[in-house]
DNA sequence: GTACGTGCAAAGGTTTTGCATTACA
DNA sequence: TGTAATGCAAAACCTTTGCACGTAC
């Protein structure tokens, strides 16, 4: 509850429900996942509210927008530096909490000032491997 | 020209135009970029043909689909292992040809067999830095 | 000649937007 | 009470699909 106040957001019941759903969530949900989950408690919840809230959180830096899944955005409430491993078939994403030293030679970065990085590892999970193609 | 035959594709004029546009292209174009460029020479070109061709090339492994830009796919004809640096404002992408040793501890990868990786570096380019927010 | 590619238009999926209503602070 | 969020629907994007026609091999 103190956590919620710390956000500094105007706390509407919808936002609280979204924040609760995201807190500690390592499933990297899509907007639809969030909408579905929160709609159970708020049948009047709209996609607009979900997207508004996610965008607000992203701007505050308390939510990451992942571009790892083609066709839809995925969201990650864990803002600690970490990386991701995605199953190319089922799109399941797991966190990789491991530090890597990634230096980019100056002559490669051109005129772009580098502020961060993110590694996506990809592969096929057990379940997808054993099921037929 | 020999390159084109090597693709093994049925070589229609539209496909040749797309392949020519992609050959050596380091601009990481979107489907729309490709459509616009090729439409100049083929006014009847359709998006369906662009997407069909891109998907065919992707399946043959001669074209990479980048998911680095939220909201649209970007394509990269360079299939040599490399990484990308993207300007968060203008979405310009530059290649990073540098090798990194990225080992993932077994206990982190769970049941997913890792087959590859890709690093996205991000930052802000000179042009975007000097222009007002 | 035949299998496959093309072009058009319509449909599908995700995200954004306009605006009247509602509610937090 | 005033500012900001909500909900609904429509629109905006990007991508995919169905099908009749055309064409490379």
């Amino acid at each position: 509850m103190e956590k919620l106040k710390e956000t500094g957001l105007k706390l509407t019941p919808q936002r609280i429900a979204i924040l609760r759903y995201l807190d500690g969530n390592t499933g990297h949900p899509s907007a639809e996942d969030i909408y579905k989950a929160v709609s159970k408690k708020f049948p009047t919840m709209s996609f607009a509210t979900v997207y508004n809230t996610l965008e607000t959180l992203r701007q505050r830096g308390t939510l990451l927008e992942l571009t790892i899944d083609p066709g839809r955005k995925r969201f990650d409430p864990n803002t600690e530096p970490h990386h991701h491993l995605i199953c190319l078939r089922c799109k399941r994403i797991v966190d990789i909490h491991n530090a890597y030293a990634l230096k980019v030679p100056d002559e490669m970065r051109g005129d772009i000032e580098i502020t961060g990085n993110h590694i996506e590892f990809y592969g096929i999970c057990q379940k997808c491997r054993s099921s037929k193609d």
Side-chain angles (χ1 to χ4, degrees), chain A:
Chain A
M1 250 311 178
E2 312 81 59
K3 263 192 186 177
L4 290 175
K5 286 182 187 168
E6 281 170 19
T7 64
L9 290 178
K10 187 183 280 194
L11 288 179
T12 66
Q14 293 87 340
R15 283 181 166 180
I16 292 171
I18 292 172
L19 288 165
R20 271 201 222 284
Y21 177 73
L22 289 175
D23 186 45
N25 187 322
T26 59
H28 311 85
S30 65
E32 191 184 0
D33 293 332
I34 296 165
Y35 172 75
K36 278 187 184 167
V38 180
S39 292
K40 288 177 189 168
K41 298 194 175 178
F42 283 88
T44 66
M45 169 72 59
S46 76
F47 264 104
T49 296
V50 171
Y51 279 107
N52 281 343
T53 302
L54 294 175
E55 175 59 13
T56 301
L57 293 172
R58 193 193 61 75
Q59 283 176 10
R60 308 220 165 187
T62 61
L63 181 69
L64 298 180
E65 195 180 282
L66 306 182
T67 59
I68 201 173
D69 185 359
R72 68 181 46 184
K73 292 178 179 173
R74 304 271 293 251
F75 298 89
D76 191 342
N78 183 355
T79 57
E80 299 282 312
H82 66 288
H83 306 287
H84 292 104
L85 167 55
I86 185 170
C87 172
L88 293 171
R89 296 246 180 90
C90 68
K91 309 299 182 192
R92 184 160 63 93
I93 301 173
V94 309
D95 290 334
I96 302 290
H97 283 280
N98 200 21
Y100 297 91
L102 303 173
K103 297 204 174 156
V104 177
D106 277 357
E107 69 271 19
M108 284 186 187
R109 66 171 181 78
D111 65 357
I112 307 184
E113 195 114 339
I114 297 180
T115 60
N117 65 66
H118 172 243
I119 307 172
E120 24 187 281
F121 295 95
Y122 35 85
I124 309 285
C125 76
Q126 176 62 53
K127 205 174 193 174
C128 290
R129 243 178 298 144
S130 52
S131 67
K132 63 189 173 305
D133 298 5

